[in-house]
Amino acid sequence: MGGDAPHKYTGDLVNIERGRISREIFSARAVYDDELERIFPKSWLFIGHESQVPEPGDYILSRMAEESVIFNRDRRGKLHVMLNNCRHRGMRVCRADSGNARKFMCPFHAWTFSDEGALIGVPKLDTGYHNELDKSQWGLIEARVARYHGFVFACWDEETPDFETYLGDLRFYFDDYCELPDGTFGDWQAFGGIFKWKVPCNWKFGAENFAGDYYHNPSHASVDQVVLSPAGTKGRHTYDEVTRERELYKLNICVTPEGHTARGELFKDDYDYIPTYQDMAVVEDYFRECYTKRQERLGEKARWFGHGGTIFPNVSYSNGVQSMGTWHPSGPNETEIWRIFLAPKDAPVEVKNVLRHYVIRYQGPAGLTEQDDMENWGSAHLGAKGTIARRHDFHYGMGMGYEQKGWPVEWLGGEVHATEDVSEQNQRAYYARWAEMMDTPPDTRRHPVSVEAAE
Amino acid sequence: MDQSPDKALMDQILVRYRVEQFYTMEAELLDGRQFEAWLDLLADDIRYWMPVTRNRNFGEWDGEHTNEGEDLNWFDEGKFELEQRVKQIMTGIHWAEEPVSRTTHMFSNLQVIDESADTLLTRVRFLIYRNRNETETDFFVGKRHDKLRRIGEGFEVAAREIYLDQSVLQAKNLTIFF
């Protein structure tokens, strides 16, 4: 490709400098097909949490873009992420959502793979293949795996930098998410089960909403009139009624080069613990103690109270409800959302129950909050499809030119920009990164095998 | 003349009739969007539970549903939480239900599997049709296991287990009641 070839995405469909983005990127099949080649295989994608496969042999099915993968812990304790796809004819070799297995057998011709993905069984290897099949070349296709404080990501591309480099300066914010309420890196425990459901919208609507959209509060006016907060007060967060006095700034943070995002509050420097769970002594004691420990451990940096954000391209982390929500692309017009929720492993059962009840009533298809988000994303998606509508770009210009670096406190620094309250800074950073990758053609679509292995 | 076999049968038919009448009235309230009146049919200590369903290998079917009070569940709540759901719909700005869904609740295959002086255990299959806006259409099909408590000649729902026959939920939300 010539160096002066015009970019299809950067500056055109995604015109960040003008704060305009074409509706095509949500609705056009050709754009979606490019995403499957140019975004997902080159990115670190969220797979699951280590606590979902605690014992040797444990596995769950996960997804990378449209494709099923096996996330397992082999008999020696090593984690793997492997394409759930027989190398012979492509059947899923694992068809249960979870279980414990030492091997995976394809139901079609019974090719059998070990828990490390090695091809260990081929019926009629002698009479059919005349012992000329090099089994070592036909194991399951395995992805690179990164473990980050128990959260597991995978990537197909050898050239993509390691996960920590990929995170860039989101590390401060994602570390904050990974820390237990007491500010230490202890064990989270995923609750059993995964929420999986289908929403009629492009996968990016969820990703950009969670990137930092305080502007969408009107979506949630109904839930804010009822009791959802785990404190038993009106509103959907504890900070709606109980703890809002401690907030100094509500911030959007974008990790500018990598396109990751965070949102949260910066507390006043003289805030104190505010009694929140007054009807539940065990829970109140737990969080009060966590607060004290976190203050001691983090010092001034404890003033950052993360709400969540999006790790490019398609997983959003939510603090408090402590969930990981993955926006799996299922065609340009549909997203399959998967959510897991976690609680501190060693917390009292009362705390876990409060958190669990809160999260399943907040997020997911039965969640009082997320229900209204999905309604909007579905409508926005329809609005991105019309012939006439598509001639008119979406407006992503809120807060343009007001992004600040090293603000409001120096230690929130690095390659990040911040804006206060409502702004579309985070969406602009996200789509700038997206456009940059979309303008980079993939190296190859096929992996031809060597002559020997092709026998 | 010994009429006891007939009497036992008549008693069963009478119980079934009362349960059917109760469920028919309940469906009428839900489909008529009389959600507050529907709440009155629920015991103050109701447990309302719908697990998440998973694909499991042969022989591991006991892990097919997530556990009440422990795992993620589509619903795992009591009356207070159900009241909040109704209140949210009644704000008129719960966008997932505004405009509100058209629903038709159907039940069949009624079994009264246990009966005591105070309570009945029942099972039905349910089929709920939901249509919204122009083309949004969902079918929710599954099994419902209820514990009904006798209140005079009628009942209240003391516990409801809802088993939806889907692993990946095919609807974008669960804003309706089962």
Side-chain angles (χ1 to χ4, degrees), chain B residues 12-167:
Chain B
Q12 284 181 39
I13 290 171
L14 190 61
V15 167
R16 286 183 60 89
Y17 175 78
R18 286 184 174 143
V19 173
E20 280 176 7
Q21 289 295 101
F22 178 72
Y23 285 154
T24 302
M25 185 232 331
E26 183 186 16
E28 190 69 20
L29 292 177
L30 286 172
D31 295 339
R33 300 165 185 158
Q34 298 180 62
F35 302 116
E36 283 150 346
W38 174 72
L39 285 171
D40 291 339
L41 305 183
L42 311 182
D44 289 341
D45 60 347
I46 186 175
R47 291 298 308 154
Y48 186 88
W49 174 61
M50 182 196 281
V52 174
T53 299
R54 298 174 281 206
N55 296 299
R56 299 284 288 181
N57 282 324
F58 184 85
E60 298 174 0
W61 292 345
D62 56 348
E64 187 171 1
H65 302 294
T66 53
N67 297 304
E68 184 175 1
E70 182 182 330
D71 295 330
L72 300 185
N73 297 280
W74 294 127
F75 295 99
D76 188 357
E77 52 197 49
K79 190 158 185 178
F80 176 80
E81 290 81 8
L82 290 165
E83 284 169 351
Q84 302 308 304
R85 293 182 185 278
V86 168
K87 279 185 186 170
Q88 190 182 16
I89 294 171
M90 302 312 279
T91 62
I93 52 171
H94 180 19
W95 309 118
E97 276 296 327
E98 185 58 38
V100 70
S101 296
R102 287 171 282 277
T103 64
T104 295
H105 285 69
M106 289 176 272
F107 65 91
S108 71
N109 305 37
L110 171 66
Q111 305 171 74
V112 178
I113 60 169
D114 193 51
E115 208 183 326
S116 71
D118 304 325
T119 58
L120 302 177
L121 298 181
T122 70
R123 294 185 174 189
V124 296
R125 303 294 184 261
F126 64 81
L127 189 161
I128 304 168
Y129 171 82
R130 189 253 303 262
N131 177 273
R132 277 193 73 234
N133 293 332
E134 287 86 15
T135 57
E136 283 181 25
T137 302
D138 295 299
F139 285 93
F140 300 95
V141 184
K143 293 105 184 161
R144 206 175 72 189
H145 299 179
D146 280 356
K147 182 161 98 175
L148 301 182
R149 197 174 286 145
R150 295 180 199 272
I151 301 289
E153 290 295 290
F155 306 100
E156 63 180 11
V157 184
R160 176 160 287 175
E161 300 175 2
I162 306 146
Y163 300 90
L164 185 66
D165 288 340
Q166 293 176 2
S167 63

Side-chain angles (χ1 to χ4, degrees), chain A residues 195-199 335-337 364-365 370 374, chain B residues 169 172:
Chain A
F195 281 175
K196 303 176 183 178
W197 76 106
K198 291 180 164 192
V199 183
T335 306
E336 192 169 303
I337 309 177
E370 195 154 35
M374 293 182 288
Chain B
L169 184 71
K172 72 176 179 186

Side-chain angles (χ1 to χ4, degrees), chain A residues 195-223:
Chain A
F195 281 175
K196 303 176 183 178
W197 76 106
K198 291 180 164 192
V199 183
C201 67
N202 187 272
W203 65 275
K204 295 188 291 299
F205 280 111
E208 72 148 72
N209 192 128
F210 277 72
D213 185 356
Y214 290 125
Y215 195 46
H216 86 297
N217 260 344
S219 305
H220 301 304
S222 67
V223 66

